[in-house]
Amino acid sequence: MAAEKNDDPIEAMLSSPTPDRAPQSATPENPSETPAEQPPAEEKPPSEKPRREPRSPPLRPPTHSALEARLEVRPIGTPLGLRELAALHHRTWKMLNVQEKRVHVLLWPLAIHFGLYNVGAGSERRRPPLIGAFWARCLADAPLTLGHLYPAPLFKGMLASEVFEFGGMVIDPTYQGKGLVKMMSDTARLFVFSRRPKLLITNPIEPLYEMYKQLGLKTVGREPVEHPHAFNVKVWLMYGRFDEMAKPYFM
């Protein structure tokens, strides 16, 4: 038998099911009494892959080791250095049967001397041998060795400070290494370009004539002359004006 319909509205209201409601958070009546809020968590940036630093190229050993033999140019200005220079001259000139007069030796301290030393393996604690040298001096500081053999018009209109004499170039004949002659020429050229004398005179012996000629020097006369301050040696009288010698290097 079907259930009778309930016509009582109050009873129907009480017996009807309660509709579902979404849960709501309880809000306090007084907003000032809200519990302490926790600071919001910091937003983390998206994870990035660590960057790799560029790798430096591998270290390579130096081309020339500090222990390898090398040539160095050093000034000669001490009594010990001048004694070594005199020994080098005697050893070299003895093979050429050349004897130097004392008047020439007395002019040595008045010049600027440059020595080429053979700095070899294991020689850091001992003095390297002197294997080459040359000197230069200004007419304002010392008289020219062979200046009186040059024609007088060559010096016309020049001051003493503008005239330099260059010489004393000596090379140890027993040296077996390479590059000595080139280094000697480069050092001499470097000195000339650093001082820039208006006139440069020099007196090379016959075996060194071609090397001096490569520096751009000209010759006085057609033959070498007897050296007035050394026995059994002939020298060429050569000269150069800096303006003309520098033309190939200053275009």
Side-chain angles (χ1 to χ4, degrees):
M1 186 175 180
E4 294 181 357
K5 187 177 181 180
N6 190 0
D7 295 333
D8 190 352
I10 297 175
E11 187 177 354
M13 185 182 296
L14 294 175
S15 61
S16 59
T18 306
D20 297 335
R21 294 182 179 179
Q24 298 179 359
S25 58
T27 303
E29 295 179 358
N30 190 358
S32 63
E33 296 179 0
T34 57
E37 297 180 357
Q38 297 182 354
E42 296 181 358
E43 296 182 359
K44 296 182 179 181
S47 59
E48 297 180 358
K49 294 182 180 180
R51 298 180 179 178
R52 294 183 179 180
E53 297 182 358
R55 295 182 179 179
S56 57
L59 297 177
R60 297 180 180 178
T63 305
H64 299 285
S65 173
L67 299 179
E68 293 180 356
R70 64 188 185 277
L71 300 177
E72 288 188 3
V73 180
R74 302 178 181 180
I76 301 176
T78 63
L80 176 58
L82 292 177
R83 287 196 298 269
E84 293 176 344
L85 180 61
L88 176 61
H89 273 279
H90 291 314
R91 185 168 65 252
T92 305
W93 287 1
K94 186 177 181 180
M95 300 180 65
L96 300 175
N97 194 23
V98 175
Q99 298 178 6
E100 191 174 18
K101 291 183 179 179
R102 182 172 179 79
V103 64
H104 194 199
V105 178
L106 292 176
L107 294 176
W108 278 19
L110 303 178
I112 308 171
H113 295 268
F114 299 90
L116 277 76
Y117 292 85
N118 184 20
V119 182
S123 62
E124 288 77 9
R125 296 184 179 180
R126 63 182 179 87
R127 190 175 180 87
L130 178 67
I131 58 173
F134 69 90
W135 54 255
R137 54 174 165 251
C138 180
L139 179 57
D141 301 327
L144 302 181
T145 307
L146 302 182
H148 62 285
L149 298 180
Y150 286 80
L154 187 66
F155 304 94
K156 185 177 181 180
M158 294 188 183
L159 300 176
S161 59
E162 298 173 334
V163 180
F164 266 78
E165 185 178 13
F166 180 86
M169 187 173 289
V170 59
I171 298 176
D172 190 345
T174 62
Y175 177 68
Q176 301 297 328
K178 297 181 180 180
L180 178 60
V181 175
K182 183 180 184 303
M183 188 173 187
M184 180 85 77
S185 300
D186 293 343
T187 306
R189 185 179 289 108
L190 180 62
F191 171 80
V192 173
F193 274 74
S194 64
R195 293 302 180 98
R196 301 191 177 191
K198 193 171 182 180
L199 176 66
L200 179 73
I201 70 170
T202 183
N203 325 115
I205 59 176
E206 294 179 278
L208 298 179
Y209 173 72
E210 291 298 329
M211 186 171 65
Y212 275 72
K213 194 174 181 180
Q214 293 177 2
L215 298 176
L217 298 171
K218 297 181 180 181
T219 306
V220 175
R222 297 181 179 180
E223 296 180 356
V225 299
E226 293 286 343
H227 197 298
H229 306 310
F231 296 106
N232 302 325
V233 59
K234 288 187 176 182
V235 296
W236 287 89
L237 301 178
M238 305 187 73
Y239 72 96
R241 301 182 187 276
F242 180 78
D243 293 341
E244 298 176 359
M245 296 172 60
K247 283 182 179 179
Y249 304 95
F250 297 99
M251 302 299 294

